[in-house]
Amino acid sequence: MRIRRSMLLALAAPLVATLTAAALVVPTLPPAYAASLIEVTNFGDNPGRMRMHIYVPDTRPTNPAVIVAMHGCGGTGPGFYSGSEFASLADRYGYIVIYPSATQQAGFGNCFDTWSDAAKRRGGGSDPVSIVSMINYAQRQYGGDPRRVFATGSSSGGMMTNHMLALYPDVFAAGAAFMGVPYNCFANAADYPPGASQCTNGSMNRTPQQWGDAVRQQAYPGYSGPRPKVQLWHGTADTLVPYSLLQETIEQWTNVFGLSQTPTSTDTPQTNWNRRRYADASGNVLVEAYSVQGAGHSLPSGGMAAVALGFFGLTNPTPTTPPVTTPPVPTTPPVTTPPPTTPPVPTTPPPTTPPSSGACRVTASVNAWNSGLTENLTITNTGSSAVNGWSLVFTLPGGQTITSGWNAAYSPSSGQVTARNASYNAAIPPGGSIDIGFQANHAGNTAKPTSFTLNGAACTVA
């Protein structure tokens, strides 16, 4: 399947896309140079049994940077494509985006494997090996620059971001982890579901040395080369992946880099964003951490993706040239580029255009534990025209109260709830889908809502 996407000219422009059917792309075919989300099969060794989608902008350098963008539990690569800004910004800055889809279950469904023994060792197997195969494919097929490979992700994808930086420091130049945990936080598969995990129960507290030793001694023993710099994001009101784990992750990476636990600078680059930066003796910022005041399990949002790109060094002007069909494959090792100091202005939502009556479908899935649950909602536009700005209304079953959410703003927290689009996912093309979700407390009733309306139109419930 190929999801057509129109070029975006600025951060404030809405995401607009159209769906068209096309053949699957395999490595033996010529590169398909179009601004499309393409599913790739047979991309290489795939022990994690993952799916791969790739977004290649029309305008890019001969050897473009490559970003691996990873979804949260219950999500998919195409869902993260439509629910985050990385593809739209690729149109502006000329990099390639790989969207892996995890298939591991681990209690929540479609979670990236950061718990198994195989996944914790470089080259051991499972999802990390599959992701490296996707990167190799992008370098072979599109001339991706091996010096500029980056990892980012949200929740489970943020966890895998830290994981990949630990396992493959020679592959990645930098990473930006949203709502993640340190490498080796999960003891095993039985510890993974965040609702009942020793890692995410709010009491995880290891020393910086212990965290650093895990990276040095378990992920890639004996490695002594350069390591990718790290950007970390966490909401202070996150209860699914507790905010306290941001400090644990800071301790891990500062110890790996041999940096002080005291930041070299602190500031507030934007309202409610508190930033700590940790630089080496030459002033190079190797670790920076953002505490987003009042935010729950709902990142990235509000222009954070663009700030991550600045940290990667991808927002600097780069001359672009027409793509070639047989690009060279460089072999030089990764290098890093200092980030800019001023984040971009967040995007603003586009005006609301209601869909035609009944032109929507909602798929809901619930994962519950003890007194908590998470619910993932996929909203599909089944109409013939694009939705530009949306509000999804539903009634929570009795006893359920939302504590945090992602990819939408939720109000109120119980009873009849309205979920309103974020600035980066306001547009839903005909046939297109977006993924949103929330965490809630419950008093024993873990049922799903039975009906939904999108901009006043009743939706089919799948």
Side-chain angles (χ1 to χ4, degrees):
M1 179 177 65
R2 178 178 297 173
I3 304 176
R4 301 292 303 171
R5 186 186 187 88
S6 63
M7 289 290 289
L8 301 182
L9 300 179
L11 287 175
L15 302 177
V16 182
T18 10
L19 293 177
T20 57
L24 294 176
V25 175
V26 296
T28 55
L29 296 179
Y33 291 109
S36 308
L37 186 69
I38 304 168
E39 180 162 13
V40 179
T41 59
N42 300 323
F43 52 82
D45 190 15
N46 186 20
R49 301 182 302 281
M50 304 179 75
R51 295 176 62 191
M52 174 187 177
H53 289 78
I54 191 167
Y55 183 78
V56 182
D58 289 320
T59 305
R60 61 190 186 278
T62 302
N63 300 122
V66 176
I67 293 179
V68 181
M70 294 171 280
H71 61 78
C73 279
T76 64
F80 200 54
Y81 158 82
S82 62
S84 64
E85 297 176 290
F86 293 104
S88 61
L89 293 169
D91 289 325
R92 182 174 185 181
Y93 296 115
Y95 56 84
I96 291 172
V97 193
I98 295 170
Y99 293 96
S101 290
T103 60
Q104 308 280 359
Q105 295 304 307
F108 270 29
N110 294 354
C111 301
F112 290 99
D113 179 6
T114 56
W115 59 83
S116 75
D117 289 340
K120 290 180 182 179
R121 293 179 287 108
R122 177 187 175 90
S126 194
D127 292 354
V129 170
S130 298
I131 292 169
V132 170
S133 294
M134 296 178 192
I135 295 168
N136 291 337
Y137 172 89
Q139 291 171 350
R140 292 193 311 268
Q141 193 78 349
Y142 297 102
D145 187 349
R147 300 166 301 174
R148 296 188 299 148
V149 178
F150 306 93
T152 190
S154 174
S155 192
S156 177
M159 299 170 190
M160 182 55 90
T161 296
N162 287 320
H163 203 79
M164 295 300 293
L165 299 184
L167 291 172
Y168 295 95
D170 52 336
V171 171
F172 295 96
F178 295 87
M179 309 178 302
V181 302
Y183 166 79
N184 201 36
C185 188
F186 296 104
N188 48 50
D191 187 48
Y192 184 75
S197 169
Q198 294 179 13
C199 171
T200 56
N201 68 4
S203 62
M204 176 60 68
N205 184 14
R206 296 176 186 163
T207 67
Q209 185 70 35
Q210 288 172 324
W211 285 124
D213 285 346
V215 173
R216 289 182 291 265
Q217 298 173 9
Q218 185 172 355
Y220 189 1
Y223 179 75
S224 59
R227 291 191 179 271
K229 61 183 184 177
V230 185
Q231 184 184 72
L232 306 168
W233 296 78
H234 223 111
T236 61
D238 194 337
T239 56
L240 182 61
V241 180
Y243 170 67
S244 59
L245 287 170
L246 174 62
Q247 181 59 36
E248 301 300 305
T249 314
I250 292 171
E251 291 176 3
Q252 180 168 73
W253 288 117
T254 51
N255 183 268
V256 167
F257 281 113
L259 303 175
S260 169
Q261 298 297 303
T262 302
T264 50
S265 67
T266 61
D267 63 354
T268 304
Q270 186 168 309
T271 303
N272 296 327
W273 292 9
N274 296 334
R275 179 172 61 181
R276 287 171 280 175
R277 308 181 97 181
Y278 302 81
D280 61 16
S282 300
N284 300 312
V285 176
L286 303 178
V287 179
E288 71 174 22
Y290 286 81
S291 298
V292 185
Q293 299 302 310
H297 201 68
S298 57
L299 310 181
S301 61
M304 295 174 186
V307 177
L309 296 184
F311 184 73
F312 296 164
L314 297 182
T315 56
N316 299 325
T318 303
T320 56
T321 57
V324 294
T325 56
T326 310
V329 180
T331 57
T332 50
V335 295
T336 58
T337 305
T341 57
T342 304
V345 178
T347 57
T348 54
T352 300
T353 302
S356 58
S357 179
C360 51
R361 181 177 68 250
V362 175
T363 303
S365 62
V366 171
N367 291 282
W369 66 91
N370 298 331
S371 60
L373 62 84
T374 59
E375 183 161 338
N376 291 286
L377 303 173
T378 299
I379 308 169
T380 302
N381 177 7
T382 58
S384 58
S385 58
V387 175
N388 294 311
W390 51 265
S391 295
L392 182 73
V393 178
F394 55 91
T395 300
L396 283 178
Q400 294 185 15
T401 303
I402 293 176
T403 57
S404 62
W406 51 92
N407 295 338
Y410 299 85
S411 179
S413 59
S414 61
Q416 187 178 79
V417 176
T418 299
R420 293 180 174 84
N421 64 267
S423 59
Y424 54 83
N425 64 0
I428 313 177
S433 299
I434 60 170
D435 293 318
I436 66 173
F438 58 86
Q439 181 185 358
N441 295 328
H442 68 82
N445 185 352
T446 61
K448 298 178 286 190
T450 57
S451 63
F452 300 86
T453 60
L454 185 70
N455 291 355
C459 298
T460 301
V461 180

